[in-house]
Amino acid sequence: MMVQPRTLTQGANIEIAPAQTIVRLSCGGASTAVDGQALLVAANDRVRSDSDFVFYNAPRHPSGSVGIGVIGTDALVEINCHHVEQEIDRIVLCLSSDSAVANGALFQASVEQNGVVVAKFEDSWPATITALMVGEVYRRGTSWKFRAVGQGWESGLAGLATSFGVTIDDAPEPARGSAVPTASGPVPATMTQPTSTSAFEAGWYVDNNDPRILRWWDAFRWTEHTRAIPDGPGLCSRCGQHLRSRRFASGTHPCRYCEGQIAQFLAGWRLRVMDVLTSDGPRGQRWEDLWLELRFERIPDSVGQDAARSAALGHLEQVVAFAFADGEIEETELTDFEATVHDLNLTASPQLSSLIDRMHRGREMTKVRAGELPTARESDIHLDSDELLYLAVPAQRVRHLQSGPRRDSGRLLVSNKKVRFVGPSAGTEMSWTKIVGARSEYSTVVIQATTARGGGIYEVRNSDYVAAVVEGALRRAKRLVLDPGRRDTRSIPQHVKSEVWRRDGGRCAQCGDDSYLEYDHVIPLSRGGATSIGNLQILCRRCNLAKGAQI
């Protein structure tokens, strides 16, 4: 059962687990942009040094316990309670703007742990205020709590910072939106340093004036971000700290400081990956910025790919489920899927191979439905001189009688002239003029006809493919040509697919599985079920087939 977050009012508090915590700060309806900040404050209500002020120009605390990121217009504050130094009494969470926020704008703080929102605080932004203390995460003995505050300063970010002991330089701050990177990657130390007119990609380069340091080039200009180049054996190439030697083998242990810092960074980075994939997919500037953040933090792309793998596969599952919602895969959908797989740069896996095979098979069946039919050869079947056999498969014809369902075994034959069912004790045939439709429903093929004989329900293996052949033969026989991109009555509108996917959380509504997902009509179409949000659900293939067996 989903846990509802606790709604806080000004001054209220809630105990939180001493674990990885993400606080999302936002301000809706504001006419001006807002930035997020965090101050690590000691028991005397002052920062110990300016490095305890975490903001867009210094997005990560040296201890690795607090970091600032951005998702859209929201600020994301990541707090690892286990890494917060003992001298820190509380972490103050703030939003600021260059001018007073429009009247009536609502600000919000959302506290999330282990992927679950545990508390929310929402209130109106006070008039004339340009820097707002939204809330604070603080210690109480061995416990941690979050308090809703909602008070601010008319003197803006400078007033907020100085009130906690931060030194503010007279020099103006960089404008919001200027190139202040938040990412990382390998260091091309031997590469010629970029100039203001070069087209080098963003990255760390040896400083022209001091070969002992690396300086960040944001693809347009040099920034003030620098890192010392480790000089000596046994030092971490990322942070320069000493590495412990292995006791019984050659080499050294991984850097414990970097391991913790990278783990904390990736916790928030994964959330941003999910947000970007949901809204934009794996392309565009926001996607590029995610990998730029890794480069800035000097985290290899391979580590990021491992961290993003679950979200990337989940996104592909959604793409495939959306494409299959109407039972047809157009060439454009297959092309878009293949481009998405390429952009995600996923390594081979059974789940990825299954998705790729499913899309290609879906495309082939769509072409069959459009009339590109196979041919079959059966030596024991008598055909007319101008008759061409498309399909011959074992089948059971299911008839629902008062005494219960009756199954007759035989073969289902599909040709350019007719549909036949041939069995030891029963047999029927029907020309295409009397057939009006065919579809796959669970593990059966439903053939609709103008008369009772010939039409019916047939249990077959690979019912999707058999139904596609029957449908394609029907279209060819009646010269029904589908325009490219045109959908039939099974089509599910995009907004309906999106809402059902969001409601079911991208998982099977029955067992919670997140692979091989399909849209299912709760009340089947054959029984009058509507293509609506209330009558649709997400089921995995296994649960969908099990439901069909029950029906």
Side-chain angles (χ1 to χ4, degrees):
M1 186 176 67
M2 184 175 293
V3 179
Q4 293 297 321
R6 178 178 167 186
T7 301
L8 303 178
T9 57
Q10 189 177 44
N13 65 74
I14 181 175
E15 185 169 339
I16 60 176
Q20 184 79 21
T21 303
I22 295 176
V23 183
R24 184 188 291 259
L25 305 175
S26 60
C27 186
S31 59
T32 54
V34 291
D35 290 306
Q37 301 87 29
L39 296 106
L40 284 72
V41 180
N44 62 354
D45 284 339
R46 310 282 286 181
V47 297
R48 299 167 303 171
S49 69
D50 292 347
S51 63
D52 285 340
F53 184 32
V54 181
F55 66 118
Y56 57 84
N57 260 6
R60 189 154 297 276
H61 190 262
S63 67
S65 61
V66 178
I68 287 279
V70 176
I71 292 183
T73 58
D74 297 350
L76 203 70
V77 184
E78 309 161 36
I79 303 171
N80 190 326
C81 296
H82 292 301
H83 289 177
V84 177
E85 299 154 300
Q86 286 298 320
E87 299 91 338
I88 301 302
D89 183 65
R90 59 193 174 114
I91 301 163
V92 178
L93 310 174
C94 307
L95 286 171
S96 67
S97 173
D98 293 336
S99 58
V101 176
N103 290 334
L106 294 176
F107 67 86
Q108 185 182 83
S110 177
V111 184
E112 180 177 320
Q113 292 190 314
N114 296 322
V116 177
V117 177
V118 298
K120 285 187 175 181
F121 168 48
E122 184 178 86
D123 205 346
S124 297
W125 190 289
T128 73
I129 293 300
T130 54
L132 184 69
M133 181 177 170
V134 178
E136 59 184 8
V137 174
Y138 62 101
R139 297 181 193 268
R140 274 297 176 266
T142 58
S143 303
W144 286 88
K145 291 189 173 185
F146 172 81
R147 178 186 290 120
V149 180
Q151 297 177 351
W153 290 257
E154 294 183 356
S155 51
L157 181 59
L160 180 156
T162 55
S163 67
F164 287 102
V166 178
T167 303
I168 300 297
D169 297 331
D170 293 333
E173 296 172 338
R176 179 184 173 86
S178 63
V180 179
T182 54
S184 75
V187 181
T190 59
M191 186 179 293
T192 303
Q193 289 86 349
T195 67
S196 58
T197 58
S198 66
F200 281 83
E201 66 176 8
W204 293 102
Y205 296 90
V206 176
D207 190 275
N208 279 323
N209 300 318
D210 188 349
R212 297 171 300 175
I213 65 172
L214 301 172
R215 186 173 294 278
W216 179 257
W217 170 259
D218 68 4
F220 301 100
R221 62 186 66 84
W222 290 109
T223 71
E224 295 304 315
H225 297 281
T226 61
R227 286 179 179 266
I229 299 177
D231 183 16
L235 299 180
C236 174
S237 61
R238 179 175 179 270
C239 69
Q241 298 212 24
H242 285 279
L243 300 174
R244 292 185 301 118
S245 298
R246 296 184 184 274
R247 186 174 181 181
F248 299 109
S250 61
T252 56
H253 289 279
C255 177
R256 289 183 295 177
Y257 176 79
C258 285
E259 278 189 326
Q261 201 175 58
I262 290 173
Q264 184 189 357
F265 174 83
L266 290 177
W269 189 79
R270 287 189 193 96
L271 292 178
R272 297 194 289 277
V273 168
M274 294 176 62
D275 179 76
V276 172
L277 287 177
T278 300
S279 58
D280 304 335
R283 54 186 66 98
Q285 189 57 51
R286 293 182 66 203
W287 181 252
E288 294 297 326
D289 287 346
L290 286 171
W291 299 95
L292 190 65
E293 291 181 20
L294 286 183
R295 193 176 304 159
F296 185 79
E297 294 292 334
R298 296 189 65 189
I299 300 173
D301 282 356
S302 59
V303 175
Q305 288 161 6
D306 288 343
R309 182 174 185 79
S310 177
L313 287 171
H315 177 69
L316 279 182
E317 287 283 357
Q318 180 179 358
V319 170
V320 172
F322 274 35
F324 270 95
D326 56 6
E328 300 198 8
I329 303 299
E330 302 294 345
E331 188 65 38
T332 54
E333 290 175 321
L334 179 58
T335 301
D336 180 69
F337 169 80
E338 290 176 336
T340 301
V341 171
H342 177 269
D343 292 338
L344 289 171
N345 197 24
L346 287 166
T347 55
S349 70
Q351 185 177 357
L352 178 60
S353 297
S354 174
L355 290 169
I356 293 173
D357 291 345
R358 188 178 169 197
M359 284 295 290
H360 281 277
R361 183 170 177 271
R363 177 58 190 149
E364 290 304 312
M365 287 199 298
T366 298
K367 292 193 289 186
V368 169
R369 286 193 189 93
E372 297 183 27
L373 297 169
T375 56
R377 296 185 182 276
E378 296 289 331
S379 59
D380 61 336
I381 298 174
H382 174 73
L383 300 174
D384 296 339
S385 59
D386 59 345
E387 190 172 7
L388 179 64
L389 186 65
Y390 299 135
L391 187 74
V393 294
Q396 285 191 324
R397 185 183 181 193
V398 181
R399 290 185 292 170
H400 294 283
L401 308 177
Q402 287 186 345
S403 58
R406 175 178 173 179
R407 289 174 169 82
D408 298 314
S409 298
R411 282 191 297 172
L412 184 66
L413 310 175
V414 182
S415 75
N416 62 328
K417 290 288 192 71
K418 61 189 74 173
V419 173
R420 299 183 183 91
F421 176 73
V422 180
S425 60
T428 62
E429 65 176 44
M430 182 166 292
S431 67
W432 290 112
T433 57
K434 295 181 179 180
I435 297 176
V436 297
R439 68 176 181 276
S440 171
E441 194 167 274
Y442 306 110
S443 58
T444 66
V445 174
V446 180
I447 298 178
Q448 298 167 298
T450 55
T451 61
R453 288 181 58 83
I457 301 173
Y458 299 87
E459 290 182 347
V460 295
R461 294 186 63 183
N462 202 349
S463 61
D464 290 342
Y465 179 74
V466 174
V469 173
V470 177
E471 192 173 345
L474 175 62
R475 288 175 177 172
R476 178 178 284 191
K478 295 192 174 185
R479 294 177 172 81
L480 298 175
V481 179
L482 286 183
D483 296 328
R486 198 187 93 191
R487 302 295 191 178
D488 60 23
T489 55
R490 295 169 298 187
S491 179
I492 303 175
Q494 187 71 18
H495 75 279
V496 174
K497 289 188 286 188
S498 298
E499 179 58 27
V500 173
W501 186 272
R502 185 202 62 77
R503 183 199 66 202
D504 292 351
R507 293 179 176 274
C508 176
Q510 292 189 7
C511 72
D513 197 359
D514 60 357
S515 60
Y516 212 125
L517 301 175
E518 301 173 327
Y519 282 86
D520 169 71
H521 287 76
V522 179
I523 301 174
L525 288 170
S526 59
R527 301 189 180 185
T531 300
S532 62
I533 294 173
N535 193 49
L536 284 168
Q537 62 182 345
I538 301 293
L539 292 183
C540 68
R541 184 68 168 174
R542 183 178 61 255
C543 289
N544 208 355
L545 292 177
K547 175 187 173 182
Q550 295 167 3
I551 292 178

